Each structure stands twice: as structure tokens, then as C-alpha cells.
Amino acid sequence: MRYIIIGAGAVGGTIGGRLYESGQQVVLVARGAHYAALRDRGLRLVTPEGARTLDIPAADGPDALRLRADDVLVLAVKSQDTAAVLEQWGQAPVGDGIAADLLPLVCAQNGVENERVALRTFRRVYGLCVWLPASHLEPGVVAAHTAPLSGILTVGRYPHGTDPLIEQIAADLAASVFAAPVVPDVMRWKYGKLLNNLGNALDAVLGRDPDKDQLLDLLYRRARAEGEAALAAAGIAFTDEDERRAVQRDRMDVVPVEGVLRAGGSTWQSLARGTGATEADYLNGEIALLGRRFGVPTPVNDLLQRIAVRFARERRAPGSMTTAELEALAAALPE
């Protein structure tokens, strides 16, 4: 099989780089300056073992490739870009047919909306729950921050089940410095990850400052409690922290990477790159949506969604909100 990594940023670049290092055929798909750097210089992959440059083929879209019947499309763009990207790739020719009918699509993304959107177009959709701390702040460069594994990537067919193809994909990932459990209920794992991602907006707007830790912890706990209540009201199952820790154990510890500062998570990185958009509508916004549908108040998630979206739109620097600013906003929230 050949893996087409659509969105070769922090997550996609790490997955693609590690697959390539293990001997798999890989194509990295990116845009703008990142694509130009990949095309001209290759992928600079930095991990706890060191830095190296990988000469992986790169493309800037489906028109630059001749898709094959044995290709696997791995979607690793941010959720706000999913619909537009799927429209582009779904109609790409594969022999006498099109990708949406013939090729499998694996959603290696945060949030829980991507698979549902993908299934409108693609006949075969798979979920991949991303536990993969990585950074992408410079064109052509991706850093993975954990060892001995680069991540734990729980996979399964969407909406449920498994099949021989996802077993093979998992085997390829497992040979590429990942753990890749195959489960019949992958969305339960992705909803559990969604609860963890409710703190992404806090990390992005406040930054990592010990003086802000108490406020960060308080608001994250409130956001998570709202999330759990909304999921329970909707009848949606999710994994808890004990279940995640039992899988992770000591196989994926964050360790220093020489020359790379791990400053923040995916939302922080979106602000740092000045992209003008974040995933907040699909993280905190997912909980707000469920709250409105099922009558569960979600004031903290509402607030975090609005703040993160405003930061992105105004291209405000990550970590630039003061504790006093956020405390004033939080003080107005209902208990």
C-alpha cells in the first residue's frame, strides 16, 4: 500500500515520516511554504533520537498525483478544513473511477465530526484516535516529542467494527514506532480524546506559565465536567482517563528534543503560525452543540470557543491573554 498523508503538519508529518522510515511508500501533501520546503528539501523530522532529513515525495493536491487502487488516504488536516479537502480529493480519478468510491480514508484528526462528514462522500471511512504530541512551526520541519513510542494511534472502522484493511494499516503503524490498537468502537476513544482536547483553547490563549496553572486547572476541570455531562445526556460512550492510562503506560513519555521547545498543543500552534483559524468550533464547540441539543449548560466551553476563535481571527499571539483578563471573563460565568 501507499500512504497519502493529506495535511503533513505535526500529526501527519510524524505519521508519514515514521511510516517512510519503516519502509512504507508515502506521499506528503501540504500547501504553501510548507509544501515548497518539502518539495525542495525533504521533511526534516526531529525526534528524541535526533534530527534527519527524509526525501519523501511531496504534492500540493490530487492533481499532482496519479492515484492508485492500493492507496490509503490519511486525512490529517484541521477539522475546519475537512469538508473542502474531501470535496477536492473525493472526485480525484483512480483508474476508471474516483477516490470516494475506491479508496479508504483514515481520519487522523482531533474532534468527532470528521468521520461523519467523510462518510457523506467516501464509501470506506476509518477513525484514528490521535495521541501524538508533536510540533510544526517551521516550513519543512516536524518534531515528535515522545519516546519510546511516537504516539498511540487507536484505529477502527467508522461508524464501528474492524476489517482486514484496518488490521493491515495498524500493523504498518506498529512497525513505525507507534502503538496501534484495533478496536470495534473507535469513536468511543475519540470522544474520550475530545474531553482531553477541551483544554486546548486554554493552553493556547494563556500559554504555559506556572503562575496561571491554578486558573488553567480550574477551568479545564469545569470544561471537562460540562463535556462529560453533555455526552451522558446524549447517550454517547467515551473512554475515561484510567482506560487511556492503562493503554499508554510508560510507552509514550514526553522527553526533551534537542533544539526544539515544545511550547504548546495544536491550537497554540495554529495561533503561533497565524493561520487565522482554530479547531475550537469542533472541540469546545462540539460540547456546546451537544449541550444545546440536550439541555445541558456549557458556559465554560462556550467561553473558550469564543475566545479561541477571536484570537485566531485577530491573529493574536498565543499566550497573550493575562490571568486577570480570563478571570474577569470567568467571573461572569454562571456557577
Side-chain angles (χ1 to χ4, degrees):
M1 295 190 297
R2 182 176 65 165
Y3 291 91
I4 312 297
I5 311 296
I6 305 170
V11 169
T14 301
I15 292 174
R18 288 303 205 179
L19 284 169
Y20 181 82
E21 287 186 310
S22 70
Q24 299 297 326
Q25 296 183 64
V26 176
V27 177
L28 300 179
V29 180
R31 300 177 297 183
H34 187 42
Y35 162 66
L38 294 173
R39 178 197 62 202
D40 297 342
R41 302 191 296 274
L43 174 69
R44 185 72 169 166
L45 181 62
V46 188
T47 69
E49 309 102 82
R52 57 273 196 201
T53 299
L54 306 177
D55 190 20
I56 306 176
D60 60 356
D63 292 343
L65 289 172
R66 176 173 293 179
L67 292 176
R68 312 182 324 208
D70 62 348
D71 283 339
V72 174
L73 304 182
V74 179
L75 189 63
V77 300
K78 294 292 194 295
S79 298
Q80 64 269 20
D81 296 324
T82 291
V85 169
L86 289 177
E87 182 178 359
Q88 181 185 31
W89 284 85
Q91 296 301 312
V94 183
D96 294 330
I98 60 172
D101 291 339
L102 300 176
L103 299 185
L105 181 82
V106 181
C107 295
Q109 301 161 283
N110 287 331
V112 294
E113 179 70 3
N114 299 292
E115 288 81 1
R116 190 177 76 90
V117 173
L119 201 60
R120 289 180 183 275
T121 306
F122 280 79
R123 294 179 181 271
R124 285 184 293 164
V125 175
Y126 300 84
L128 185 155
C129 182
V130 178
W131 287 102
L132 197 168
S135 301
H136 165 55
L137 296 172
E138 178 184 346
V141 181
V142 168
H145 296 280
T146 62
L149 298 178
S150 288
I152 296 177
L153 309 177
T154 304
V155 296
R157 188 154 187 169
Y158 179 80
H160 49 74
T162 65
D163 63 20
L165 177 63
I166 199 61
E167 296 277 0
Q168 182 58 58
I169 292 170
D172 291 345
L173 291 169
S176 309
V177 204
F178 298 109
V182 180
V183 297
D185 55 352
V186 69
M187 294 311 294
R188 189 172 70 91
W189 289 86
K190 297 198 77 165
Y191 274 102
K193 177 69 187 316
L194 171 67
L195 293 173
N196 285 80
N197 288 140
L198 298 180
N200 284 19
L202 283 165
D203 168 70
V205 302
L206 280 182
R208 296 180 179 177
D209 181 338
D211 293 337
K212 301 175 180 178
D213 283 351
Q214 186 173 359
L215 180 59
L216 282 165
D217 185 62
L218 172 65
L219 289 176
Y220 169 67
R221 288 179 183 276
R222 288 187 63 182
R224 185 180 178 102
E226 292 176 2
E228 291 181 359
L231 292 177
I236 296 172
F238 55 90
T239 54
D240 59 25
E241 283 296 272
D242 289 341
E243 193 168 2
R244 180 187 66 80
R245 282 191 287 264
V247 173
Q248 180 175 330
R249 304 195 303 275
D250 59 353
R251 299 187 294 169
M252 199 185 83
D253 294 328
V254 175
V255 297
V257 175
E258 186 175 356
V260 178
L261 175 66
R262 185 167 183 259
S266 59
T267 303
W268 189 99
Q269 292 175 48
S270 292
L271 296 181
R273 294 198 305 272
T275 62
T278 79
E279 287 183 295
D281 286 340
Y282 297 90
L283 302 177
N284 305 96
E286 181 70 28
I287 299 304
L289 170 63
L290 289 173
R292 292 165 196 153
R293 288 182 61 199
F294 295 97
V296 176
T298 60
V300 174
N301 282 286
D302 293 347
L303 173 63
L304 297 181
Q305 179 186 6
R306 289 197 303 271
I307 293 172
V309 169
R310 189 177 75 239
F311 260 63
R313 186 179 64 249
E314 297 174 354
R315 288 178 166 75
R316 188 167 167 180
S320 61
M321 175 169 275
T322 67
T323 303
E325 283 182 272
L326 188 54
E327 283 178 336
L329 293 170
L333 295 173
E335 291 295 332

